[in-house]
Amino acid sequence: MRTTDPATDLTNDAFLGGQLTLTQPASGYRAGVDPVFLAAAVPAQSGQAVLDLGCGAGAAILCLGRRVRGLRLVGLERQSVYADLARHNARMNALAMTVHHGDLEQMPAALRQDRFDHVIMNPPYFRRDRGTPSPDTIREGALGEDTPLTAWLDQATRRLLPGGHMTLIQNAERLPEVLRAMDARLGSVVVKPLCPRVGRAASLVIVQARKGGRGAFRLAAPLVLHQGDTHRTDCDHYRPEITAILRDAAALAIA
């Protein structure tokens, strides 16, 4: 469900079947189902600390905070409009969250000194050297990459405690870049493809790794989102397990 305030050009959008409400810009970058899948894949437990790099309006980390109670939630966002929205959304949903305004390549001092059990991120999907940039500067800043994936992975790894998990979602075509960006500090890598339908190529991947992990690389079975082989009627046709993730805040098993 969505409501729009014409005076502010913001919308209030329901996530997790109405368990969470997020205020977002009516135009520009808007969170959809991707951050919900990201949040569902994080194996967090109550009492742990989570950092969301590039948290936007807070969709992923607040979905995680709603699913797992008792987490310490921290976000980093370089665009002030989204950092303010993330703070607002945390308050509106009665979830304690600290949001830092800053760039991951110039990490705020408070974050440089902090360590986390989990670092999550939804890096920009599109390289700026490919395609046409969006004329909307805020949307382009969220979707168009000008900080390389190597920097995202390096900063995430630095912020992790030993044994901590890094979890990210990215376009499937950029999986080779994600894997190349990892170094020996990360191991036990699992890749979970997300496919629109049976027989269709994966459009997204969730990648999870552990700091200091020594397990073998695993390519997990794909998560198929929709029932049937095509979109036949005006409804989502999500498979039951996907509906449970999107509506009921169910966890997503990576392996």
Side-chain angles (χ1 to χ4, degrees), residues 34 123-126 169-176 178 202-205:
D34 298 6
Y125 286 167
F126 306 109
I169 190 167
Q170 182 56 263
N171 264 351
E173 69 177 22
R174 302 197 67 189
L175 176 59
V178 173
S203 54
L204 298 170
V205 289

Side-chain angles (χ1 to χ4, degrees), residues 79 128 134-142:
Q79 298 195 72
R128 291 189 186 273
S134 170
D136 185 313
T137 55
I138 294 178
R139 178 179 176 83
E140 175 63 17

Side-chain angles (χ1 to χ4, degrees), residues 11 24 46 55 68 92 95 102 127 144-146 159 183 245 255:
T11 65
Q24 306 187 88
S46 182
C55 66
V68 182
M92 181 169 61
L95 289 168
R127 288 173 48 171
E145 176 192 281
D146 59 6
R159 305 283 81 76
D183 58 31
I245 292 169

Side-chain angles (χ1 to χ4, degrees), residues 29 34-35 38 52-54 60 120-125 142 152 167-170:
Y29 172 73
D34 298 6
L38 172 61
D52 187 350
L53 291 178
I120 67 174
M121 52 187 173
N122 183 5
Y125 286 167
W152 286 83
T167 308
L168 67 85
I169 190 167
Q170 182 56 263

Side-chain angles (χ1 to χ4, degrees), residues 22-238:
L22 296 180
T23 300
Q24 306 187 88
S27 60
Y29 172 73
R30 295 173 50 78
V33 298
D34 298 6
V36 185
F37 289 130
L38 172 61
V42 181
Q45 299 179 10
S46 182
Q48 292 185 327
V50 183
L51 171 63
D52 187 350
L53 291 178
C55 66
I61 195 166
L62 294 177
C63 283
L64 177 56
R66 182 62 79 219
R67 178 170 68 85
V68 182
R69 304 304 175 104
L71 297 174
R72 180 167 71 92
L73 306 177
V74 180
L76 173 66
E77 174 54 46
R78 71 174 185 175
Q79 298 195 72
S80 59
V81 62
Y82 283 107
D84 290 341
L85 283 173
R87 297 184 187 102
H88 164 81
N89 287 329
R91 291 192 300 269
M92 181 169 61
N93 290 280
L95 289 168
M97 177 180 173
T98 300
V99 180
H100 297 272
H101 176 218
D103 192 287
L104 65 86
E105 290 192 292
Q106 298 178 346
M107 191 69 62
L111 283 181
R112 288 201 304 270
Q113 304 303 317
D114 208 346
R115 295 296 179 271
F116 299 86
D117 302 281
H118 301 273
V119 176
I120 67 174
M121 52 187 173
N122 183 5
Y125 286 167
F126 306 109
R127 288 173 48 171
R128 291 189 186 273
D129 60 353
R130 298 178 182 174
T132 303
S134 170
D136 185 313
T137 55
I138 294 178
R139 178 179 176 83
E140 175 63 17
L143 293 177
E145 176 192 281
D146 59 6
T147 300
L149 282 172
T150 51
W152 286 83
L153 271 292
D154 176 62
Q155 290 298 335
T157 306
R158 290 175 183 270
R159 305 283 81 76
L160 280 172
L161 289 163
H165 287 87
M166 180 216 69
T167 308
L168 67 85
I169 190 167
Q170 182 56 263
N171 264 351
E173 69 177 22
R174 302 197 67 189
L175 176 59
E177 295 175 67
V178 173
L179 297 178
R180 285 197 300 268
M182 294 184 184
D183 58 31
R185 294 172 295 172
L186 293 173
S188 304
V189 179
V190 182
V191 175
K192 184 77 168 179
L194 274 60
C195 302
R197 299 181 188 278
V198 171
R200 298 276 294 276
S203 54
L204 298 170
V205 289
I206 295 174
V207 182
Q208 192 168 89
R210 193 164 191 175
K211 189 169 185 177
R214 295 293 180 264
F217 173 87
R218 285 180 290 167
L219 179 60
L223 182 70
V224 178
L225 305 186
H226 296 279
Q227 302 182 71
D229 58 358
T230 188
H231 194 84
R232 299 181 185 276
T233 59
D234 190 19
C235 59
D236 54 36
H237 289 130
Y238 284 123

